[in-house]
Amino acid sequence: MSPWRLLVIGVLWIGVAAAFWHVVQNREQHPLSRTRLLLGTVVEITIYDERPQRFADSVDAAFQEMARIESLTSFHQPQSDVTRLSSTTGTFAAAPEVLEILKQGLKISRASDGAFDMTLGRLKALWGFGSPHPRRPAPEDIREALQGSGSEALSIEQGRVLKHTNARIDLGGIAKGYIIDRAAALLQRAGVRCAAINAGGDLRLIGRRAVPWRIAIRHPRHSDALLATLVLAEPLAVVTSGDYERFFEQGGVRYHHLFDPATGMPANRCRSVTVVSPEAALADALATAVFVMGPDAGLALLERYSRTGGLVVDAAGVVHVSRGLRSQVVWP
Ligand code: ADP
Ligand code: MG
């Protein structure tokens, strides 16, 4: 090929690259960001696009979809599927979304040997998290609240939910993740190629950015300090369970809302667990399960899922990171 031709081709390629870079830069510089109070927290949707405003209606629709599924899965609303299932024994005709959450949750329960447990509703109510006056219950009340909970309480047969005991159902460890997955799916169907959904620090990413996604992880004991930053080339979900969000202190002891189903007490092996995985529902349930299991068994559990890893701060403050995630962690 003549040098002239090579030069022309070279210049053309530079032109194409520059145009691409311009589009990507534009996307980065003018994101559309909207927030809503949902799922007991502030939910923010950010759209990265050359003309993000064209997706404003889709963002509204995503918030509506989240509110709709939240009302099915709510622990407090008397008419939610979860409340009605809690007072049922026998078969229950759950909404497809609730059925799907229960299915996924039961899988994680089995995989975690019961550390993840959606049948601890009476225990949760007894401790009073979410009420103005949470308190440490008497041991006999804890024993009573655990009766009928665990792997025998719930099953799904031929697409129907079967409840075998009087356990109260609580999807608090998985529903938020599932709901942001559903919002992400809605945005993608609407044509959104690059976005982030942030539900109080639990994240679901869509698409690639010009630069990798940088996700800050909070220090579990210093609310204004960074523990680490995750640098992700892939759009993944990043979900954290910690003992610092919902807790109270009594007699100098910290009691938080993540229960060890074996004791009915707050799990005491971790301070925080961040799970990175393609889907937020899975990441959410796994973060809760790993929190209960502790760093060794917990990180071993994460190994069983593809493109999934975690960062665990144990009870002594020591940080453990999955092998596959180490190269993506930046320390402050
Ligand atoms: P958050 O929703 O605050 O981000 P998590 O996803 O870790 O935190 O979920 C905590 C919630 O999960 C608790 O408030 C409770 O409703 C529920 N939960 C507590 N212990 C367990 C457990 N062992 N298995 C499943 N769910 C649990
Ligand atoms: Mg969770």
Side-chain angles (χ1 to χ4, degrees):
M1 205 182 287
S2 77
W4 280 113
R5 262 198 150 162
L6 270 177
L7 184 69
V8 170
I9 290 172
V11 168
L12 277 177
W13 268 114
I14 291 167
V16 170
F20 177 73
W21 185 243
H22 175 75
V23 166
V24 168
Q25 282 289 303
N26 224 10
R27 243 199 235 173
E28 298 287 305
Q29 279 162 17
H30 304 287
L32 170 82
S33 188
R34 293 280 180 273
T35 57
R36 226 24 103 78
L37 277 177
L38 278 170
L39 309 171
T41 186
V42 179
V43 180
E44 177 176 48
I45 298 181
T46 307
I47 306 282
Y48 300 93
D49 191 85
E50 307 88 84
R51 289 183 293 118
Q53 203 56 44
R54 64 188 167 136
F55 294 117
D57 288 349
S58 307
V59 170
D60 281 342
F63 281 130
Q64 266 170 35
E65 175 72 347
M66 294 170 99
R68 182 183 72 80
I69 308 176
E70 181 182 18
S71 71
L72 294 171
T73 59
S74 165
F75 187 72
H76 300 288
Q77 291 179 25
Q79 284 311 313
S80 77
D81 263 29
V82 162
T83 304
R84 292 188 301 119
L85 172 59
S86 289
S87 56
T88 303
T89 45
T91 59
F92 181 80
E97 294 84 357
V98 173
L99 190 66
E100 211 178 317
I101 295 173
L102 289 169
K103 248 190 219 168
Q104 277 233 32
L106 287 174
K107 276 191 206 161
I108 308 292
S109 292
R110 282 191 289 272
S112 65
D113 282 330
F116 183 77
D117 189 337
M118 299 176 290
T119 66
L120 301 177
R122 290 219 310 281
L123 186 73
K124 176 175 162 139
L126 177 68
W127 278 87
F129 286 102
S131 81
H133 306 291
R135 75 229 167 274
R136 183 187 166 147
E140 59 272 22
D141 292 337
I142 292 180
R143 269 196 300 280
E144 198 283 321
L146 285 172
Q147 268 169 29
S149 68
S151 60
E152 305 300 308
L154 203 60
S155 61
I156 292 175
E157 280 155 44
Q158 292 162 347
R160 287 191 311 178
V161 185
L162 278 171
K163 196 146 139 297
H164 307 279
T165 71
N166 67 346
R168 191 168 164 191
I169 303 304
D170 170 27
L171 304 183
I174 182 170
K176 197 200 287 177
Y178 175 83
I179 290 171
I180 62 178
D181 281 337
R182 291 292 303 251
L186 184 149
L187 293 175
Q188 284 178 302
R189 281 198 304 275
V192 170
R193 281 167 302 160
C194 188
I197 304 172
N198 182 348
D202 293 343
L203 276 179
R204 171 67 201 262
L205 308 173
I206 299 169
R208 282 167 183 273
R209 295 175 66 187
V211 291
W213 294 96
R214 294 179 72 86
I215 313 300
I217 301 177
R218 206 203 102 158
H219 193 289
R221 287 293 174 273
H222 308 289
S223 57
D224 49 356
L226 263 186
L227 177 69
T229 304
L230 294 177
V231 181
L232 305 173
E234 299 285 316
L236 295 166
V238 183
V239 178
T240 299
S241 283
D243 67 4
Y244 51 82
E245 289 275 8
R246 270 183 277 164
F247 70 92
F248 64 93
E249 279 172 341
Q250 196 174 315
V253 181
R254 174 187 292 244
Y255 298 102
H256 60 80
H257 68 140
L258 294 154
F259 302 112
D260 185 340
T263 61
M265 296 293 288
N268 57 12
R269 298 185 179 96
C270 299
R271 293 178 180 176
S272 83
V273 173
T274 299
V275 172
V276 178
S277 191
E279 296 205 332
L282 183 66
D284 192 359
L286 284 174
T288 306
V290 171
F291 192 99
V292 174
M293 296 166 86
D296 297 335
L299 290 182
L301 172 66
L302 298 185
E303 296 289 327
R304 293 163 54 182
Y305 298 85
S306 75
R307 296 164 66 210
T308 297
L311 192 151
V312 177
V313 182
D314 71 19
V318 178
V319 184
H320 308 249
V321 187
S322 301
R323 196 165 305 131
L325 200 62
R326 282 180 201 158
S327 61
Q328 282 140 282
V329 180
V330 177
W331 303 105

